[in-house]
Amino acid sequence: MAALQHPQSFNLSHPNDPFKPKLYSPTSSKNSKHNPRKTQLVVCKKTTNEEPWKEKKLGFVDYDKGKHQLSVHVSGLRKNDIPKHYRLRVESDRFQKDWTISEVVQRILKLNHWNDIEGLLNHWVGRFARKNFPILIREITQTGSLEHSVHIFRWMKHQKNYCSRIDIYNMMIRLHARHNQTDQARGLFFEMKEWRCKPNAETYNALINAHGRAGQWRWALNIMEDMLRAAIPPSRSTYNNLINACGSSGNWREALKVCKKMTENGVGPDLVTHNIVLSAYKSGAQYSKALSYFELMKGTKIRPDTITLNIVIYCLVKLGQYGEAIDIFNSMREKRAECRPDIVTFTSLIHLYSVCGQIEDCKAVFNSMLAEGLRPNIVSYNALIGAYASHGMSGKALSVFNDIKLNGFRPDVVSYTSLLNAYGRAQNPEKAREIFNLMKQNNWKPNVVSYNALIDAYGSNGLLTEAVEVLREMEQNGVQPNIVSICILLAACGRCSQKVKIDSILSAAKLRGIELNTVAYNSAIGSYMNVGEYEKALALYRSMRKKKVKPDSVTYNVLISGCCKMSKYNEAIEFIDEMMELKVPLSKELYSSVICSYSKLGRLTEAESMFTAMKMAGCCPDVITYTTMIHAYSAADNWEKASALFQEMEMNNVQPDIIACSALMRAFNKGCQPSKILTLAEFMRDKKIPYSDAIFFEMVSACSILRDWRTTVNLIKMIEPSLPVISVGLLNQLLHSIGKSGKIDTMMKLFYKIMATGAEISFSTYSILLKNLLVAGNWRKYIEVLQWMEDAGIQPSIGMYRSIFSFAQKSSGAKYAAVIQERIESFKRKSSYQISTSKLDDSLLLAPASIDAIEALNGNLIQV
């Protein structure tokens, strides 16, 4: 506004000049009455033409191909809008093009970084309008092309009409932050100061965001302090960026401190703040705290959005609260207007069902996502491949992998690694190696996870040498192995029973500076236990305690179960006492190992107490735990409690298996309850639980006690197909049961069938056969069986000959006694035994064990 004495001097301007001042009469002034002098007040206002900056949306739809495209077009200042002397300069130049800003951006994006971008910009007429520069930077940065943006910004600074602006620098800093180029963003910050362009709150926000993306949260805090020293008040966005910088690095405590300071400074949190705090808890693996914060958030007036609920679902899955996660997902689908499920939601649900082992539901969720009109991204496809890979379903994983390429995506390292893992779990390491090589052929560099998956593919299939070769290849290619690599190799050594390799791998980890964590110690201790190296496992456990690496439930489960396998039950109890002192939380597997240790030592009271504590702790016993307790009651000759426990298992929907049923049958046999064994066999048939040798052994024993010949015959028919592979204990029990019933012909027919299968017959089997023949008085077959034994290379005992000799003396006359005596003398000469005939009673010491002893021995073999 200016007071001019000669307003007529403005008449020289163009009549359509937009900058022409407007004249106001002094009579129209409010202060005209107090001003006796008549003057004119002229206000110079610049009319702003917003038409060049309006965004016009242009759409394109191809119904035949099912494609659509939406673009935003910005014109900017054109040839007619630039100053006159520039307009005259370019009018006669046919190389000067009057492009719009959007056309310039499109032409630049078509160029490669080595093309002459500056040459194209020098042909643009709009470069003479300074106001086009910030719009051009805005349009090119929105495309995300960093190289083109840097070229344009460098060209722009060399233009004579360029003037540094805060918004241009802010856009460039944000773009560098998106590409995680923190140093360049910081360089732009210092450069704008050199150009005397004072940073504002938006500048500091962009710089804090850049350092937050790079995980440099301490730098972000320092930038916040600089902002305060510059007397620039932080906004809510500033605090949100700072909280995000701390939280994304896992420093959730620092994030809470900033949030508290934000509230103290009078800047209230909004929905974005709450989401960032929840994300900070998620990044710091504080899932329970995240759920508690969500409950507090419900008490505010801020309603959660899709991002909030996605974080909550993720935390619930990590805590194993799958039902609550599904409830939230269902509520999101019911309230579509407020929180519509997005791709992240469906992907989290795929991961949920994968963890639960419900693979078919994973595919159903994926199909539901397609039905909702959402286009899956590469993360969704990878989640589905990972679900199939976790169960070794390589065929379906490959099908999803091919769908990625069919739908226009390019498989990434995660896709290849998941498929590789699928083939490894499917026991096809050769195919896993093919996928690994294919990944490198497609210009993807394998990371440490990819190498670990290939090591596991070889190691889990017993190819330890190949697994070690992959480790060497990994190091040669510049990828350093981590603790997971060591754990996989240690577990593979345990499976392959390679004692020396375990020591070598531990030494290799030490040389590479890889400190063993709890998981690594567990793998090494478990491997030593698997190969029977108890002392080395114990030494490693002591080293673990000495280095203050805290053992967990897996550690003690490995130690206690390993001691039980090696019958070191007293040592197992010592580990239990140490575990109780450290207050290690007991897992389901650990409870079972502890109960087994107590039961094997006959400490039934402690076993029962631990079993009760397990149920009170909310840890539902599984079939292994129930079977362990049934074994304990069986050892204590308490078939009533064993039977009650079996019924409890059914009531709790725990499906009994072969081992549980055989344990209960043994308890029934020891408790003289043979009829209950046959009832249990009927139950197994109804439940389609297959019979094993142990089951047949108990059933044959029960039939023998009940003298149930018909059931025995049926059992023989069931056993006949598997005669070549049945155990010695079951074979002996079956022959003894038939012979005891007096069915000698049936017994011999069964024996002939066994011999016809080529099964190896032991000395104890011949002993049972001979005893039953002798009781039946069939001495001719008796002598024939003795001959079979000699032909089979099994030397009969003196007691066998003396038994038939005594029988011949008493029942068959001197003729057969002489034949038997001749056989005895021949046997004495072959065996080089000098046994005096006056010491016949002493020779009985060489007789085979009694049938009862054999039955006890066979029973022990079955238990083993």
Side-chain angles (χ1 to χ4, degrees), residues 517-583:
N517 58 9
T518 304
V519 178
Y521 274 111
N522 293 345
S523 298
I525 292 171
S527 298
Y528 277 131
M529 284 292 191
N530 287 338
V531 299
E533 290 286 345
Y534 171 76
E535 296 299 332
K536 288 188 176 182
L538 181 61
L540 199 59
Y541 168 72
R542 299 303 177 197
S543 172
M544 177 184 185
R545 296 293 306 274
K546 186 177 180 180
K547 292 182 179 179
K548 296 183 179 180
V549 179
K550 189 176 180 180
D552 58 2
S553 59
V554 178
T555 313
Y556 286 106
N557 182 45
V558 169
L559 288 167
I560 295 170
S561 61
C563 288
C564 290
K565 290 178 182 177
M566 289 185 276
S567 301
K568 295 180 179 292
Y569 303 114
N570 292 321
E571 289 82 352
I573 298 299
E574 292 178 4
F575 287 123
I576 293 173
D577 295 338
E578 288 187 31
M579 178 189 66
M580 296 299 182
E581 289 178 5
L582 294 175
K583 297 181 180 179

Side-chain angles (χ1 to χ4, degrees), residues 172-185:
M172 289 301 297
I173 292 174
R174 281 198 299 268
L175 180 63
H176 281 87
R178 285 167 57 187
H179 289 268
N180 293 325
Q181 296 196 2
T182 312
D183 294 337
Q184 290 82 349

Side-chain angles (χ1 to χ4, degrees), residues 111 115-123 151-152 154-155 158:
L111 300 177
N115 293 127
D116 188 8
I117 296 177
E118 294 184 4
L120 185 144
L121 290 169
N122 290 333
H123 287 81
H151 274 289
I152 293 174
R154 188 184 300 119
W155 167 85
H158 288 87

Side-chain angles (χ1 to χ4, degrees), residues 725-777:
V725 294
I726 64 173
S727 64
V728 176
L730 175 59
L731 177 62
N732 293 348
Q733 181 66 15
L734 195 60
L735 291 174
H736 173 62
S737 177
I738 299 172
K740 187 178 178 181
S741 65
K743 306 291 183 179
I744 301 299
D745 293 338
T746 305
M747 180 187 72
M748 293 308 301
K749 287 180 181 179
L750 178 61
F751 184 73
Y752 296 151
K753 289 180 181 179
I754 295 170
M755 292 183 67
T757 61
E760 187 175 351
I761 301 173
S762 64
F763 181 87
S764 59
T765 308
Y766 282 112
S767 299
I768 293 171
L769 204 65
L770 290 173
K771 181 176 180 180
N772 286 310
L773 288 172
L774 193 64
V775 171

Side-chain angles (χ1 to χ4, degrees), residues 381-402:
Y381 281 110
N382 289 343
L384 188 57
I385 295 175
Y388 287 132
S390 62
H391 289 73
M393 302 169 70
S394 56
K396 292 188 176 181
L398 180 61
S399 176
V400 178
F401 183 84
N402 293 331

Side-chain angles (χ1 to χ4, degrees), residues 369 460 656:
M369 178 167 53
S460 59

Side-chain angles (χ1 to χ4, degrees), residues 643-658:
S643 179
L645 201 62
F646 191 85
Q647 294 175 2
E648 178 186 324
M649 179 167 52
E650 287 187 87
M651 292 174 60
N652 293 333
N653 295 323
V654 178
Q655 181 66 30
D657 59 2
I658 300 174

